[in-house]
Amino acid sequence: MKAISIKNLARKLSSLGLESLGNLYSKNNDPKTEQIGNLCNALLELKGEASSIALAEEILAAYSSFNQEEKIEFLLYLETDLAPDKEKVDFAISEYQDNPVQTSIQALHDASESRRLGLFRALNMAPKGIESLITMREDILNALKMNSGLSVVDNDLLHLFRSWFNRGFLEIKRIDLETPALVLEKLIQYELVHEIEDWSDLHRRLEEDRRCFGFFHPVMPYEPLIFVEVALTDEISRNVSELLKEEVNSDNGNAPTTAIFYSINNCLKGLRGVSFGNLLIKQVVEKLEREISSIKTYATLSPLPGFNNWLENELDNLEFLDDSVRGQVKAVLAQPTQELLTNAKLKKILLSLCAYYLLKIKSRNKPSCPVARFHLGNGATLDSINWLADKSENGLKQSTGMMVNYIYDKSTLARNHEVYEQDNAIVCAAEVRQLLP
Amino acid sequence: MKAISIKNLARKLSSLGLESLGNLYSKNNDPKTEQIGNLCNALLELKGEASSIALAEEILAAYSSFNQEEKIEFLLYLETDLAPDKEKVDFAISEYQDNPVQTSIQALHDASESRRLGLFRALNMAPKGIESLITMREDILNALKMNSGLSVVDNDLLHLFRSWFNRGFLEIKRIDLETPALVLEKLIQYELVHEIEDWSDLHRRLEEDRRCFGFFHPVMPYEPLIFVEVALTDEISRNVSELLKEEVNSDNGNAPTTAIFYSINNCLKGLRGVSFGNLLIKQVVEKLEREISSIKTYATLSPLPGFNNWLENELDNLEFLDDSVRGQVKAVLAQPTQELLTNAKLKKILLSLCAYYLLKIKSRNKPSCPVARFHLGNGATLDSINWLADKSENGLKQSTGMMVNYIYDKSTLARNHEVYEQDNAIVCAAEVRQLLP
Amino acid sequence: MKAISIKNLARKLSSLGLESLGNLYSKNNDPKTEQIGNLCNALLELKGEASSIALAEEILAAYSSFNQEEKIEFLLYLETDLAPDKEKVDFAISEYQDNPVQTSIQALHDASESRRLGLFRALNMAPKGIESLITMREDILNALKMNSGLSVVDNDLLHLFRSWFNRGFLEIKRIDLETPALVLEKLIQYELVHEIEDWSDLHRRLEEDRRCFGFFHPVMPYEPLIFVEVALTDEISRNVSELLKEEVNSDNGNAPTTAIFYSINNCLKGLRGVSFGNLLIKQVVEKLEREISSIKTYATLSPLPGFNNWLENELDNLEFLDDSVRGQVKAVLAQPTQELLTNAKLKKILLSLCAYYLLKIKSRNKPSCPVARFHLGNGATLDSINWLADKSENGLKQSTGMMVNYIYDKSTLARNHEVYEQDNAIVCAAEVRQLLP
Amino acid sequence: MKAISIKNLARKLSSLGLESLGNLYSKNNDPKTEQIGNLCNALLELKGEASSIALAEEILAAYSSFNQEEKIEFLLYLETDLAPDKEKVDFAISEYQDNPVQTSIQALHDASESRRLGLFRALNMAPKGIESLITMREDILNALKMNSGLSVVDNDLLHLFRSWFNRGFLEIKRIDLETPALVLEKLIQYELVHEIEDWSDLHRRLEEDRRCFGFFHPVMPYEPLIFVEVALTDEISRNVSELLKEEVNSDNGNAPTTAIFYSINNCLKGLRGVSFGNLLIKQVVEKLEREISSIKTYATLSPLPGFNNWLENELDNLEFLDDSVRGQVKAVLAQPTQELLTNAKLKKILLSLCAYYLLKIKSRNKPSCPVARFHLGNGATLDSINWLADKSENGLKQSTGMMVNYIYDKSTLARNHEVYEQDNAIVCAAEVRQLLP
């Protein structure tokens, strides 16, 4: 928050007839964050007034001009100064205990709301307020490790975002070359599963035999919340390196039979914990069913982001491996090059370890692999593990190049989901199970 | 909820692989509302699943097919069966009392949330879910008188709507002849201050020397939440009957100097308690300032909806009136025709009573007149009371034809607002004060 | 052209640095039309210059301010002063005759173009230029009777319009309640076949079981060029009075089997001679085929605009009628009320006369009835003549209430069209032919 | 035109009920171009029929599948077989000579129109017809050198395009990051003056201190016809290499005072001869004047595309140069590197030669330099010649890195234009004139 900004503010507040606030704010000796704290209090008083929009804008501008240290100071202010009011809570509790009716519970509910929530709602009224709040939560998530107390601030924002990003408000939109360039730039920025190298790589992913869909909130039309990339093919694709390089085959008039979901990316870190993914996949399936009746199979080509890490940590504990094998595996983990991987024996071992990882390694009774947990939780079927399916540096490093197909078959989704949730059962192709060591 | 709808549902649920629900639902002997209650419980379990969208849609369709009695039964179910869980509340209280930290308060906040809120959030995911919930709240408001216990349901919905209709998500849009006809039909339907008689009346209100602006939520692009009608004129208009009849004067090249806000209407009853009005007026002022620099004066031409009612009730208690006057006033209240009102003495008396009503009659220290409370609370100045300014039947009936100008002068808005809020002072033109009896 | 407009112009021209033109124009003693003539000449010199846009705008504004007499004077100026240059024509002819190659013919083509065309092209550059030119042609068409020499001006404009309104530039758009109100107001204005009484009548014609489509030129997005109204029904509708009154039957979940084209209207008189109708119907058929697969039958319910007129003129010459019949017919023609028409004998006679009119009365070997000529030329089949199908005043007056169904059956359209064009054959249902006297 | 396409066509024609055409077309022994010629004749007969759209589409698809040789054969068919009908021309001439009235001239005008025009108008009705015709003209322009007779075909298309791309139909649109990516890809493709290297280069040209505007025809919303790139700066920019590298200076709150038009590109070769440029610049000036009132100076930073070429050819004839200078200049022309150009003497000589080139070298009394001719014709003032202003390879090669500023000053545009057109006078800054040798 530059000095000039303070002057600007004083001028602005005075033009709003709020000189008193301006004075309060311009005592330059006070620490900046104390000054902005005063403003926040003022904003909480104003509620609903038109001038509160200008004030909200000013507070967000000040925050965004803060350096790292000042930001944390401000977040700590949110944590401590805008905490729920214990006196109110205590009073509401005693009222409730005297008269335990629903209205007392609602009063208790209101009393236990932190003043932060009111501030966040007021800040949201500023132009681009929602974007600023999402960025603020990103800051909070980054700061949590060193300042675990901020988790209560984080909870409040997450609570709000879950309400505001209710699925009923989101639009699913196709992203293609008619989409504004701003959105396409976001794809490049947010695609982490299979990096987009340059414009022509992006162009390829939007051609006639490809599809891209995203969820958007109507107040952020240029900001995809999550997007999924789909290839329309003739068979289940088992190799993403080839898929990405493939030329458009326009001569081939054959209608596609298969839709491969080969990348799905959440975009805004600040929205972590607001989940969109399972709905997006299922809605894209429905859209494609309506649009292209020739497609009969819906499958993913999915990464195994934690496999190598797990294997490195656990290798010595896997008793069914003998030492020579262990040595070979260690070597390849240390330097997972394509050359090392063209080894039939190693292939057999790693595929078997991968099946073991997916089917046997659990955390709270569900697969450790987050991608597996996601798709199996959706009711998909684990269909196959594919060797050397992602030859990119990243692919070799995270899973020695292996990838997985999960199949979305409407006729079994609900049942799979149920046995997964209730019995912790994983529905999987016999071929995969046979790989188990 | 027709039997056929139940069958449809059973079929749909089974197609989603949720036969168990279908069974639960199709026990035709149970009362319908019990069946839909079961569905609601199911929806609350599903949370986030794609199939929950279909279920939400089905519940809303069932609700909308209910008759009056069934609807109330369902609302009572919401009140009682989906109340907050007292055990959880009690547990959270004891946890908090053992360890009164912020996380305990947040846990208490969560525990004291009714299950209704979860249901409403899930129902919002259905297509047109938000519209259905707004309609449901309209039903609740109508049912409250006979079922005061529903106020807790009402509170929950209002709480949600305040979050979802945060000003940061609303768009201000000009409404004119390029606007989709659907929206214009809504204007006709919702204009209650000065009824729109037919299409040509509407057309007139959208011509070049008129403006109309509304707030819209982006998910309901055809549904104005509130709209304001403005006339661009050469002087402060003091007679709405003339204003509405006025021909467009296109020959007159003079740029307008004055903007008259002559009608402001909230549209959706189900959003009662979510306030938009003060922001709308101030933002329209800003828009017009930017667009038409010749406009120097912003004023309203406002109704006095409660004047006649008040006068009828209080006439006998107004001691400063002598009996003959009282008789005259009674006669005109009984039959407020234009003929009776062309009486100079009566005019003087009624203007004086009106000034008295606006300046002296208070409720909780603020003017009883809701329109005055609204504009004065915004910081406007009470500028004049106008005789025979609304000769429509409605105008004569509610205020014997009188109307009021409030002036929005940016340079005094904030100060006026402050003295109004803190000192209960009404800023008003000397001429109005002189009318006092 | 008001004096003030001349001053404005002078000022504007001078601001463009074109004082010389301003001078030329502001000699107030000259007749206005001479002055505007000078401007037109100036515009023809300027070609392509940015200032020519301002000049074009000024000329069109001046023209539109003219009274009837001045307009005609201006049109006569176009006829005479901006005629093709005979010297150039003669020179191009002699060049061609010396060297009869294609380039000489092109030179001749250019030389024989009137200067009017250049003027019209330059005027089109003004804002709303195209609308002004269409209005100007409407003036020409109105003036033609008294000033037949203007036909050469008319030809030039028609020539341009045919080029500019090439089908490749037109968009077919659905018109419904999401359409801007401006367009819907045009429907009310231009619907002449079955007048739209008020907004609710219009609303009815745009509900879910109705369709309306129009052709639009992209530079006039609020101006339909032609529109067609369609009812989606369960059977071929044979009575337009009932069709227009019908309530929406939403309970009835049956998908429609039949599309009835019950009204088709050209909008802009100034575009007379640029034909859109046949393409519109066929494209609407294609659109509906794609959208609603349940529709199997496409038929019109069409008026007989010239039947009564023809019958009045020819009644005495129809030798197959005996005198008593003739008297009855005369009576009903004089006063075509519903009462008179509830007469079985009369019904038989008039249906028979109608069949005779449609099948036997020709002009240049094709049916005299313009509606029959249009649909039969498109390849439709004459399917039936319907008694008391249009009980409106207009319907009784033009065809004693009778209407005709033409069927658009894709499998026979091309063949019907061919025999109609080559052999003057009318493809018609046996029932219609049996009505012949 | 592949065999399969012929089969497709036969099937399609037959589905339209046009078997006769199908037969005619499918005689596989005939050369393809003869077959397509037959189709063209058929299309000319059909005029206005709905089936003609399908036929037009088929002809254009066939044409686009042709190889180079077949295309030329088809174009020659257009030249010869669809030439104007001499008999008709001769008849119209004799009619005119018998009766030399305007209607006879119009008849002559019609008779001298080639049948090609009718074909082009019919082809335009196909989906994307206009794009196909523009591509066809590009083919013609390429083929003209070897087939000069095609100029008559070219003339006809140019004639049509001038009518269809009348300025009144074009829209000026801002191009920025909200523009569909398809359009931005076109910028990269068509920018020839200062090549766009990659996406980030493009991004830079669309940031807040830059502007880009294009003309679009409403039926080709993704196809800019011409676009201009503008930099908003603090002073007249005299070096394009720096301008392109400049970082956005957002801290600097100063409003820009100057708009630099640094690149203007026509996009579609097939529209050569339809001029948009002068209008575009003047309209962008007007747009910017309205939007950013701080801008007072409008100038270009323009290339000298023909300078080096001219100098190479004429160097030996420039008598005012002595031999040593001539040698130096030759050396630098042979290898125009930045190193050689850091030579004060050479700088003086080349600037002087450049002034000479711009002011003294004429073709038909106007400057030889096409860029100078364009801007001076618009009324701009030649303001300065800038040394080492374009250090790109292309810049060094075409003008040893020199560039020119032309100033668009509204108060002198019209006068400059007039003296330029009438007196061949070049309005230029004294500093430039002083450079003359």
Side-chain angles (χ1 to χ4, degrees), chain A residues 347-364:
Chain A
K347 173 178 171 181
K348 213 183 141 201
I349 294 165
L350 282 166
L351 284 173
S352 140
L353 285 167
C354 186
Y356 183 78
Y357 170 66
L358 288 170
L359 297 174
K360 300 298 181 194
I361 304 305
K362 307 274 177 118
S363 137
R364 272 178 284 166

Side-chain angles (χ1 to χ4, degrees), chain C residues 78-121:
Chain C
L78 294 182
E79 178 194 340
T80 51
D81 288 38
L82 299 186
D85 181 331
K86 276 188 199 165
E87 274 181 47
K88 280 194 190 167
V89 173
D90 292 336
F91 177 78
I93 288 175
S94 80
E95 291 282 299
Y96 162 68
Q97 286 170 335
D98 287 356
N99 185 23
V101 295
Q102 281 205 56
T103 47
S104 309
I105 302 181
Q106 286 190 331
L108 179 54
H109 186 69
D110 292 348
S112 59
E113 187 178 288
S114 75
R115 296 180 75 216
R116 283 184 291 273
L117 278 169
L119 180 69
F120 293 145
R121 288 189 194 108

Side-chain angles (χ1 to χ4, degrees), chain C residues 153-164:
Chain C
V153 186
D154 183 47
N155 283 342
D156 281 347
L157 264 179
L158 179 56
H159 180 83
L160 264 188
F161 290 164
R162 284 201 174 130
S163 173
W164 287 344

Side-chain angles (χ1 to χ4, degrees), chain A residues 356-398:
Chain A
Y356 183 78
Y357 170 66
L358 288 170
L359 297 174
K360 300 298 181 194
I361 304 305
K362 307 274 177 118
S363 137
R364 272 178 284 166
N365 296 321
K366 308 294 185 205
S368 271
C369 172
V371 176
R373 217 157 50 222
F374 175 74
H375 292 301
L376 296 171
N378 284 342
T381 303
L382 201 175
D383 187 59
S384 82
I385 303 175
N386 306 304
W387 185 246
L388 274 184
D390 179 1
K391 297 176 190 164
S392 74
E393 197 180 337
N394 183 43
L396 295 171
K397 218 165 115 186
Q398 68 183 10

Side-chain angles (χ1 to χ4, degrees), chain B residues 288-300:
Chain B
L288 290 174
E289 278 178 346
R290 273 195 303 274
E291 191 200 340
I292 311 175
S293 58
S294 60
I295 298 181
K296 303 300 179 202
T297 305
Y298 293 87
T300 74

Side-chain angles (χ1 to χ4, degrees), chain B residues 19 60 129 139 162 228 287 381 412:
Chain B
E19 294 86 353
L60 290 173
D139 295 340
R162 283 202 175 129
V228 62
K287 260 181 127 54
T381 304
T412 59

